């Protein structure tokens, strides 16, 4: 009887079952299962009449236990790539291939667009050795996209197509690897599948160099980007001191609303000044800061996030170039370093001024990746599959870390609702009072994430990246 009560608790949830029990004369109490018999039968009859039950799902004491769900899985990549996003893909693919209840592993060509267009790769056809090379291969091996799904209440066309594809290939597991907007896609698909009663477990796998995903200590991809940015800044700093003439150098670093990536420039020798989106940018104050440093040192190295903005929220870089918006409506930023360099040439005519945009290498520089980042990226993908097979859905894999007495990291699950379209920014306490430098807590936070030099495979003294066959399921004989 107690087992029956527990199963009903899982099928309907405690609140609904308790309400029905009260209407039938009994207060919810699993500790006295022997007295539940008549009340449970009456409550069960009421609930059976009132709605259709999805017997796939059963919850008990806060954890989900489900009957084995057999079917195929899809792994898709979305948004901007990173140096380690393929390590996460490998974590998903390798674990899924080794899982009995996952009957087939499919890779979506260019993210959700590949699902909509029925362009799915049969990952089981790939050579095991080539798959393993994904661990050290940068960028998105399956292809990415920036495609925003509409609100299904306004337009469910895409969702009906996704459901059609899921049914065609008996897809019961969906893993989506990306950042804020990708988690929005994941969340919408998960909620839609629930609304139509299609059993499919949906798990988000995090990635972003901006380190701005809510609900996680940090994001896979950030550690490697931070290591690349810190190393590059150290190298540029050495170069600016070669000659005895005056120099001013501006480094533009990715980061629309979160400045973690730019803040990483300070980890090595560090720039003289740093400006982040978390602090409103004042042009006159900036020019005065640079003048003060230049007068004192005859040199000035500056790091700026691409997303620095005025007090009214307008990006400094907005309007520099005729850049289009991406699929999620974000203005593509760029040209900030050149803009600031031009202004500084006018203010400091004696200085040799350069503007350097780190651009794509900061997100795909696998030669400067962090082994810790690679390992954790793989772990995130592996944990996603294990969680889904265990019965979890509608979640994103997140990291919980401690740094006192040594660095330790473990995976947890966060609801997609708190992640989708939310952004985590740099705490103000990590930025100095003047808003142009950092404080020690950021150093303590980031150092463990950039540790370890990968022993990546090479060919002719160059990196050996994965060469996938990418066999389309739709074209298989």
């Amino acid at each position: 009887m107690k087992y029956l009560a527990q199963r009903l608790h899982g099928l309907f949830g405690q609140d609904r079952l308790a309400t029905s029990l009260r209407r039938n004369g009994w207060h919810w109490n699993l500790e006295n299962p022997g007295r539940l018999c008549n009340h449970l039968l009456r409550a069960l009859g009421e609930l059976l009449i009132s709605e259709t039950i999805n017997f796939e799902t059963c919850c008990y004491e806060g954890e989900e236990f489900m009957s084995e769900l057999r079917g195929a899985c899809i792994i898709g990549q979305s948004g901007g790539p990173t140096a380690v996003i393929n390590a996460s893909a490998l974590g998903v693919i390798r674990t899924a291939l080794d899982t009995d209840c996952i009957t087939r592993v499919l890779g979506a060509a260019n993210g959700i667009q590949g699902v909509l267009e029925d362009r799915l790769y049969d990952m089981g056809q790939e050579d095991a050795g080539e798959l393993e090379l994904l661990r050290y291969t940068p960028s998105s091996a399956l292809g990415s996209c920036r495609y925003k799904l509409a609100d299904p209440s306004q337009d469910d066309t895409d969702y009906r197509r996704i459901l059609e594809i899921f049914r065609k290939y008996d897809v019961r597991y969906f893993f989506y690897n990306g950042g804020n907007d990708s988690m929005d896609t994941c969340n919408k698909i998960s909620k839609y599948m629930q609304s139509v009663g299609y059993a499919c477990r949906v798990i988000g796998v995090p990635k972003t160099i901006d380190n701005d995903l809510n609900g996680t200590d940090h994001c896979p991809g950030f550690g490697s980007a931070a290591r690349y940015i810190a190393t590059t800044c150290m190298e540029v700093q050495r170069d600016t001191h070669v000659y005895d003439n005056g120099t001013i150098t501006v480094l533009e670093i990715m980061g629309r609303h979160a400045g973690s990536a730019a803040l990483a420039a300070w980890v090595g020798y560090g720039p003289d000044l740093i400006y982040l989106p978390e602090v409103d940018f004042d042009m006159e104050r900036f020019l005065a800061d640079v003048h003060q440093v230049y007068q004192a040192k005859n040199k000035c190295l500056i790091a700026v996030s691409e997303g620095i903005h005025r007090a009214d929220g307008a990006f400094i870089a907005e309007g520099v170039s005729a850049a289009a918006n991406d699929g999620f409506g974000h203005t593509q930023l760029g040209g900030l370093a050149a803009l600031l360099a031009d202004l500084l040439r006018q203010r400091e005519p004696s200085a040799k001024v350069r503007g350097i945009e780190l651009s794509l290498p900061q997100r795909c520089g696998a030669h400067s990746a962090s082994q810790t980042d690679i390992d954790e990226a793989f772990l995130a993908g592996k944990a996603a599959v294990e969680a889904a097979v265990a019965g979890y859905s509608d979640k994103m894999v997140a990291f919980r870390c401690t740094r006192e007495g040594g660095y330790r990291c473990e995976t947890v699950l966060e609801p997609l609702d708190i992640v989708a379209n939310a952004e985590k920014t740099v705490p103000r306490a990590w930025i100095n009072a003047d808003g142009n430098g950092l404080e020690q807590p950021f150093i303590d936070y980031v150092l463990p994430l950039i540790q370890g030099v990968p022993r990546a495979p090479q060919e002719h003294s160059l990196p050996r990246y994965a060469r996938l066959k990418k066999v389309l399921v739709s074209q298989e004989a």
Side-chain angles (χ1 to χ4, degrees), residues 134-359:
L134 288 173
R135 193 184 300 267
Y136 301 104
T137 299
S139 192
S140 303
L142 300 176
S144 187
C145 68
R146 295 187 185 277
Y147 186 91
K148 186 174 180 66
L149 293 174
D151 183 333
S153 65
Q154 303 296 320
D155 182 1
D156 67 351
T157 305
D158 284 344
Y159 300 91
R160 287 186 284 109
R161 174 59 172 167
I162 293 168
L163 179 59
E164 178 186 354
I165 295 297
F166 280 15
R167 283 176 168 156
K168 177 179 179 179
Y169 296 108
D170 192 29
V171 174
R172 300 294 174 172
Y173 299 90
F174 181 69
F175 306 103
Y176 211 45
N177 193 186
N180 312 78
D181 296 320
S182 304
M183 292 305 114
D184 174 62
T185 298
C186 213
N187 189 39
K188 287 175 176 175
I189 292 173
S190 178
K191 298 300 190 292
Y192 181 79
M193 294 303 157
Q194 293 174 38
S195 73
V196 298
Y198 184 81
C200 183
R201 299 173 191 170
V202 180
I203 302 287
V205 184
K207 77 79 221 174
T208 172
I209 73 164
D210 292 343
N211 201 37
D212 60 353
L213 273 174
N214 191 36
T216 184
D217 178 271
H218 61 279
C219 303
F222 169 65
S224 294
R227 189 168 187 268
Y228 175 88
I229 292 164
T231 302
T232 300
C233 189
M234 292 171 67
E235 292 168 344
V236 171
Q237 193 269 353
R238 300 288 293 186
D239 190 273
T240 61
H241 285 73
V242 168
Y243 304 108
D244 61 2
N245 59 303
T247 63
I248 299 175
T249 307
V250 183
L251 293 177
E252 178 182 342
I253 299 165
M254 287 182 176
R256 179 181 301 273
H257 298 299
S260 291
L263 212 53
W266 206 287
V267 175
Y269 297 145
D272 299 293
L273 300 166
I274 191 164
Y275 298 90
L276 311 174
E278 285 77 4
V279 179
D280 293 339
F281 186 80
D282 184 293
M283 187 64 76
E284 289 303 317
R285 174 67 182 274
F286 165 75
L287 295 171
D289 289 347
V290 174
H291 179 75
Q292 182 179 10
V293 172
Y294 180 65
Q295 289 297 306
K297 302 173 63 175
N298 199 38
K299 313 283 182 187
C300 188
L301 178 60
I302 309 149
V304 293
S305 289
E306 64 180 1
I308 58 173
H309 55 80
R310 301 180 183 89
D312 63 2
F315 292 117
I316 302 300
E318 209 160 33
V320 172
S321 60
N325 291 346
D326 64 18
F328 290 97
H330 306 312
T331 301
Q332 186 175 344
L333 301 175
L336 177 63
L339 170 69
L340 296 178
D342 284 343
L343 293 172
L344 288 166
R345 287 188 189 98
Q346 299 172 32
R347 288 294 187 101
E348 307 292 346
S350 66
K352 182 176 182 179
V353 182
R354 292 181 185 271
I356 302 173
E357 186 177 346
L358 295 193
S359 193

Side-chain angles (χ1 to χ4, degrees), residues 11 17 41 85-86 98 102 121 124 154 208 219 235 246 271 295 335 338 356 360 374 405 421 457:
L11 289 169
L17 183 54
L41 291 174
I85 188 172
N86 291 324
D98 292 340
I102 296 181
Y121 302 129
Q154 303 296 320
T208 172
C219 303
E235 292 168 344
Q295 289 297 306
I356 302 173
L360 299 184
I374 293 171
N421 291 317

